[in-house]
Amino acid sequence: MSGAEDQARRVLIEAPADLLLDRLATELERTYGITGAELLQVDYRLSVLLPFTKGEPITAPGHPAWRCFDHQEPIVTEDGTGYFPVGMRGERRGVLRLHPVPADPAALHELAGVATAFGHELEAVTASTDIYRVARRSRRLTLAAEMQWELLPGRSRVRPSFSLAGQLEPAYAVRGDTFDWSDDGRRVCLVVINGMGEGVAASLLSSLATHALRNARRAGLALADQAALADQAIYAMHRGEQHLSALLMELDLASGVLTVVDAGSPRLMRLRDGEVSEQELDKQFPLGMFDGTDYRPQRFELRRDDRLFVVSDGVVDATGGDVRYGETALERFLRRTTPMPPLDAVRSLLGDLRAFVAGDLIDDAVVVCLDWTGPQG
């Protein structure tokens, strides 16, 4: 790391939460002669890059900013404008646009490192300020959607042994569908919830389930016991009048063994060697439907480079004309995602779904994509 890059990182660490971009821009002008710096954040729908300070939103797929975001590589245009991916551990936040950038490859490499450091600092300060959340909205979130997005652990994660991404739709008005995940280096725990109800009530129910599952997971309980604890919490609150479907998964990163508990769940699809198959699951009662349900786990062995998709009813049952997406288009499109990273696969699938229904989705939809790339070292 050069002295200039190291100094830029220190500036970011020391900057007030609301002045990250301002302080970084001043430092980049001093060290690299860069006179223009702008943060372009991807919106909740993954469909537009929104400038933090000024300028027009960027929607055109072929724009250099989108190419930078999609490929996660720096792009430099003929006029000397540079675009650098901003993110953290696979979580894509957006793009840092700089002008003019030096032609020296070493300097460009340093600026890419600065953009990564910027992503880490954005993640660190977001909990203490609203300005970055507000700037990445192309319109107002409903209250239910606000609750659901705040519940998420993140939208994507990349590690040597796995890649993971998920998305909620309709992004600005989602109600009950959600997902949660955690990894500890040995395993990935993932839950996808197909919510019940409307508005804030649906979000509250999903929030209760998510926190109950987190509490059980963090207590070291086995997967079936996690489902049982969440089931008890929801039943105790609603006495069976409200319940929700969930798919609980735990992937052992060394062996590829996948443990699953299907509590009336969304569908689990596997993409292997270009072929799509639906994983047959032992369907059990939704969480909170009855008192004291005894859940049973199933185990499957994945192969290196297997891809898993979890899709909720809002995807499968979406209709275009009189035809359901799950019957005519889902498997075809899943095959097309083979060369895409999980976040791009999820975003493309939901884009195809919106085109299929010719507009915004009426029902909630959640899509999660998980790649197991095999044991590492």
Side-chain angles (χ1 to χ4, degrees):
M1 183 185 303
S2 73
E5 182 182 350
D6 185 52
Q7 176 60 25
R9 289 172 180 265
R10 283 199 297 269
V11 166
L12 285 168
I13 291 171
E14 296 171 1
D18 59 318
L19 297 177
L20 289 179
L21 183 61
D22 286 351
R23 296 292 171 83
L24 178 61
T26 299
E27 180 61 23
L28 294 181
E29 182 174 10
R30 186 184 70 82
T31 55
Y32 296 97
I34 292 169
T35 56
E38 179 61 276
L39 170 63
L40 304 168
Q41 292 189 108
V42 70
D43 82 318
Y44 286 81
R45 200 180 191 186
L46 294 170
S47 62
V48 57
L49 290 168
L50 297 167
F52 180 64
T53 59
K54 59 183 178 181
E56 294 298 319
I58 299 173
T59 57
H63 192 283
W66 272 115
R67 286 190 283 124
C68 171
F69 182 86
D70 289 338
H71 299 290
Q72 290 295 283
E73 295 179 353
I75 299 289
V76 179
T77 61
E78 293 183 356
D79 68 352
T81 301
Y83 298 87
F84 301 87
V86 174
M88 187 198 72
R89 303 180 186 275
E91 177 75 8
R92 303 186 198 178
R93 296 294 299 261
V95 173
L96 183 62
R97 181 174 62 200
L98 304 175
H99 180 85
V101 295
D104 178 21
L108 294 176
H109 180 76
E110 293 169 4
L111 290 170
V114 170
T116 298
F118 190 21
H120 281 256
E121 288 304 312
L122 280 174
E123 184 70 19
V125 304
T126 295
S128 63
T129 178
D130 288 337
I131 61 172
Y132 301 106
R133 289 187 179 95
V134 171
R136 57 187 285 247
R137 303 176 183 201
S138 60
R139 61 180 184 269
R140 183 178 177 178
L141 291 172
T142 64
L143 175 55
E146 186 87 50
M147 295 167 64
Q148 291 299 75
W149 283 108
E150 288 298 298
L151 194 61
L152 293 184
R155 192 148 45 185
S156 57
R157 173 57 59 91
V158 176
R159 291 192 65 164
S161 55
F162 77 92
S163 296
L164 168 68
Q167 175 67 1
L168 308 177
E169 283 289 340
Y172 289 87
V174 67
R175 293 153 294 189
D177 285 11
T178 190
F179 61 90
D180 190 37
W181 53 261
S182 173
D183 80 276
D184 60 11
R186 298 181 298 105
R187 60 180 182 168
V188 177
C189 298
L190 171 66
V191 59
V192 180
I193 291 174
N194 195 160
M196 173 187 178
E198 299 292 332
V200 172
S203 293
L204 288 171
L205 183 62
S206 294
S207 178
L208 174 60
T210 299
H211 283 100
L213 289 166
R214 286 175 178 172
N215 180 254
R217 184 183 72 228
R218 292 165 183 171
L221 300 187
L223 202 64
D225 294 329
Q226 294 174 30
L229 187 146
D231 174 67
Q232 292 168 12
I234 296 170
Y235 186 84
M237 179 68 69
H238 298 289
R239 312 307 295 181
E241 294 183 4
Q242 292 189 46
H243 48 80
L244 49 74
S245 300
L247 181 64
L248 288 69
M249 302 164 57
E250 183 180 292
L251 174 61
D252 185 287
L253 295 174
S255 67
V257 172
L258 180 71
T259 304
V260 177
V261 172
D262 178 352
S265 75
R267 290 172 64 177
L268 176 61
M269 315 290 288
R270 186 191 68 203
L271 178 59
R272 174 182 289 172
D273 299 328
E275 295 299 321
V276 177
S277 60
E278 182 172 357
Q279 192 68 58
E280 292 296 328
L281 300 176
D282 181 12
K283 297 188 181 302
Q284 301 171 73
F285 290 127
L287 301 178
M289 179 174 280
F290 300 109
D291 188 16
T293 301
D294 183 22
Y295 292 95
R296 302 173 303 279
Q298 292 175 268
R299 290 179 176 82
F300 308 95
E301 291 189 7
L302 300 185
R303 296 179 189 172
R304 185 188 295 268
D305 296 327
D306 273 356
R307 167 167 286 183
L308 301 174
F309 280 96
V310 186
V311 294
S312 69
D313 291 348
V315 176
V316 177
D317 295 334
T319 58
D322 296 323
V323 181
R324 294 168 67 238
Y325 187 78
E327 293 176 341
T328 59
L330 179 59
E331 291 191 14
R332 167 190 58 79
F333 197 85
L334 293 183
R335 284 192 291 271
R336 289 175 54 188
T337 70
T338 299
M340 303 177 188
L343 185 63
D344 295 337
V346 167
R347 180 157 60 104
S348 298
L349 173 59
L350 287 169
D352 187 66
L353 181 63
R354 287 192 294 267
F356 182 85
V357 302
D360 287 334
L361 303 183
I362 298 175
D363 192 14
D364 277 8
V366 60
V367 178
V368 175
C369 178
L370 172 63
D371 289 352
W372 181 58
T373 49
Q376 304 295 317

